[in-house]
Structure formats: C-alpha cells, structure tokens
Amino acid sequence: MAIPETQTAIVITGAGGPDVLQPQTVEVPVPGSGQVLIRVSAAGVNRHDVHQRSGGRHSDGTAIPGLEVCGTIAAVGAGVDRDRIAERVMALVQGGGYGQYVIASQHLVLPAPDTLSDIEAAGFPEAAFTTWWNFFHLMSLGKEGFALIHGGTSGVGHIALQAMSALGYRVIATAGTEAKVTAAKGFGAHAALSYRDAELAAKVMEATGGQGISALLDVSAGAHLDQDLKMMAPDGQIAHLSGGGGAELALPLRDIMAKRLRITGSLLRPLPLDRKARVAEDIRRDVLPLLGTRVRPTLAATFDFRDAASAHAEMERNDHIGKIMLTVDHD
C-alpha cells in the first residue's frame, strides 16, 4: 500500500469557535513499536473534540482532534504482525482522527464488522471504551444494581443503552426533550425521564422499585447533583465525565456519608495504555458479537472532514440524537 509523505488533516489553528478548524497539509506519521498507521475513511466527532478546540491544542500538544476512526491498516510498527496490513479496522486513537492517516496502538484496534458501514464503525470505539471503562472498571457495576446515564441519546449514551441492555443490565436514561426521552426508550433504557423534571429523583426511585442507582454516569458537570444524591442506592458510585470548564462541586457531606457514596471521575484520553487495553479485551468479548444486530450507532449527521467546523457547530446546538460523523476522502 503506497503511503504519501503528506496528508490533509483538520488542524486547530487557535483557541476559539468552529471556524478555527482548518484543513492543512501535514506530515503522515510513522508508526512506532506496537503501533499501526490507519488510512482513515471515517471519523467520529465527540464532545471532547469541542472542548479541545475551544481551548486550543491538547495538553499533549496535539493540534489535530479526533478520538475514533474506521479505515484500513496501511503500515505497522515493530512488533506488529505485517499480515494486518490492509485489515479493515476501527480504533480508539490519541487525537489525530480528523485526518487521512492516524496512528493507533495495536491494542486499541478492533476489527470493523461487515455488519457496519465505515461511518457506523467509526462511531463505535469512543462510546464503547467510555462506557466499559466507567461502568465496569471504575465503578464495578453488577447486574443486581441499576445504572443511570445522564444524556441517554448522546454519542456515548445511545450506544451504552443498546449494549448494556442487550447484556442484561438495567439502565435508566435522562434526556432534555420529549423526543430524546422517547429515543432513549427505543435504545433500550429500562426507563427514560427528563432531567428537567423537578421530581426526577422520586421517579427514578419508583422506576427502581425503591432500590436506587448503583452506578451513575454524569456528563453534565454535576448539573443535577441534588437529584443525583437523592436517587443513589447505598454504596452507590457517581462518575463524572465532564469537568465543566473548571466547575466546582459543593457536596453535602452528611448525605454522602449516610449512603457511603463514592464520587469519582475520569478522563479517557490520559488513561494508561495497559488499562485501556484491558477495556478493549472486554469490548472484544462482550460487545463485538452484538454489533450490527443488537448494537448499531445512530448517525445524526455526516459531514465531509474538510467541513469539520460545521460538524462542531451541529454538536454545539445539542439537538442531535446519536453520533455526528466525518467522512474522509483521499483526493
């Protein structure tokens, strides 16, 4: 497979709005030990990308956003079987996904199933890794408990609902509009409710038969914390995915102590590779067999990668259900 020296990629030219995303010519990276070079056909757009763009380059210096892709392996580094070249894959990457070529660790590369198109497959990895890391590694959810996801129709939420419900987990979802509440039920939610409801906690307790929530995934930077604490089961856990631009939580310690609650959070990108690799093993075992039958990314909107600015504007409107995607050509 002929590999060019340069590629077109979308670069964050400065901190700001969607207009700072500009196509530029950059070098094609070279895979190191244990890495593969992927010729990208599609990439997912995630909320992390929007936050990265707003602040400029990522803390690791990366100026090309993008955390998940689908494509074919174009080259391999030392320690990777050369027979993998030309393999159709989907992968979680450390940035760089908004380009024609990107580097990925071989441990975070998954086979792209024939049951999904390239665009669908590219919308799977980030949601799957986020879900499995937080619910089953960070919070140790068991099937005897109830889970809750704030934002059940988000890119992460709608895939989490499908996969977890297919595997027998009871997951309650919240959403901001009636249309999204209805969509969350369609994705497999045990119950779906509006997070704007003043009686949210009481309705969650009713939906769980009084048991409460054992593991709660919060993408709202604690916007519903008062309700969250009321709906938690004893020994329950809350994991935060969004720092809310530096938001601080004011916590009623007595409520936390009374139920022995654990409040934590995580960022997926800086998670050590060995821990991500263990998550990947779980996804291969538990979720890949469901793709295309019980689990399928919903495509809310698709843009040419050179028009990533419009994709970010679409995400910031917060009207979408499912994934916002980029198609990547090599002209």
Side-chain angles (χ1 to χ4, degrees), residues 13-304:
T13 58
D19 60 302
V20 304
L21 297 173
Q22 297 292 329
Q24 294 185 2
T25 299
V26 302
E27 291 185 355
V28 172
V30 177
S33 178
Q35 296 180 331
V36 302
L37 177 69
I38 297 175
R39 186 179 190 270
V40 179
S41 57
V45 177
N46 292 285
R47 188 69 59 176
H48 173 280
D49 307 342
V50 173
H51 295 323
Q52 179 184 348
R53 184 213 74 220
S54 297
R57 292 173 179 261
H58 192 268
S59 58
D60 64 9
T62 304
I64 302 170
L67 298 177
E68 58 184 350
V69 300
C70 178
T72 54
I73 295 178
V76 300
V80 182
D81 188 345
R82 288 189 57 80
D83 288 343
R84 300 201 66 181
I85 293 175
E87 180 182 341
R88 180 173 174 261
V89 297
M90 51 190 179
L92 185 75
V93 298
Q94 288 290 93
Y98 292 17
Q100 293 171 317
Y101 291 87
V102 69
I103 293 291
S105 166
Q106 65 172 333
H107 300 295
L108 308 182
V109 171
L110 303 168
D114 293 338
T115 50
L116 297 184
S117 67
D118 285 6
I119 299 174
E120 291 172 319
F124 172 77
E126 195 272 345
F129 276 87
T130 297
T131 299
W132 251 247
W133 160 250
N134 282 281
F135 276 119
F136 304 115
H137 291 251
L138 189 63
M139 293 193 287
S140 304
L141 175 67
K143 289 185 178 178
E144 72 282 357
F146 284 89
L148 185 142
I149 301 173
H150 282 310
T153 61
S154 66
V156 170
H158 87 289
I159 291 176
L161 287 175
Q162 292 177 68
M164 292 172 68
S165 64
L167 292 169
Y169 293 91
R170 298 173 294 178
V171 190
I172 293 174
T174 71
T177 68
E178 284 304 313
K180 290 184 176 182
V181 167
T182 299
K185 293 176 182 176
F187 291 131
H190 177 81
L193 302 161
S194 170
Y195 55 65
R196 306 181 195 280
D197 192 331
E199 300 299 319
L200 175 62
K203 291 181 179 179
V204 169
M205 292 302 293
E206 181 181 359
T208 63
Q211 182 174 329
I213 300 300
S214 295
L216 186 153
L217 192 61
D218 185 10
V219 299
S220 71
H224 317 292
L225 184 61
D226 289 346
Q227 297 272 20
D228 292 347
L229 295 178
K230 294 175 184 176
M231 69 176 71
M232 295 304 294
D235 300 305
Q237 302 170 82
I238 300 174
H240 289 274
L241 292 188
S242 172
E248 296 183 1
L249 292 180
L251 300 170
L253 290 177
R254 191 166 187 83
D255 291 348
I256 295 170
M257 295 163 64
K259 291 186 178 180
R260 302 174 302 280
L261 302 180
R262 285 168 284 175
I263 299 177
T264 184
S266 68
L267 296 171
L268 184 62
R269 186 165 175 172
L271 193 69
L273 177 58
D274 63 329
R275 302 179 88 171
K276 289 181 184 175
R278 289 197 291 273
V279 176
E281 292 173 3
D282 290 351
I283 292 170
R284 287 189 181 94
R285 182 191 66 232
D286 297 334
V287 191
L288 288 192
L290 304 174
L291 285 180
T293 54
R294 305 291 298 279
V295 178
R296 182 180 294 275
T298 292
L299 306 181
T302 302
F303 298 85
D304 183 274

Side-chain angles (χ1 to χ4, degrees), residues 296-316:
R296 182 180 294 275
T298 292
L299 306 181
T302 302
F303 298 85
D304 183 274
F305 82 116
R306 293 177 177 83
D307 193 22
S310 293
H312 276 222
E314 178 72 17
M315 174 159 282
E316 291 182 327

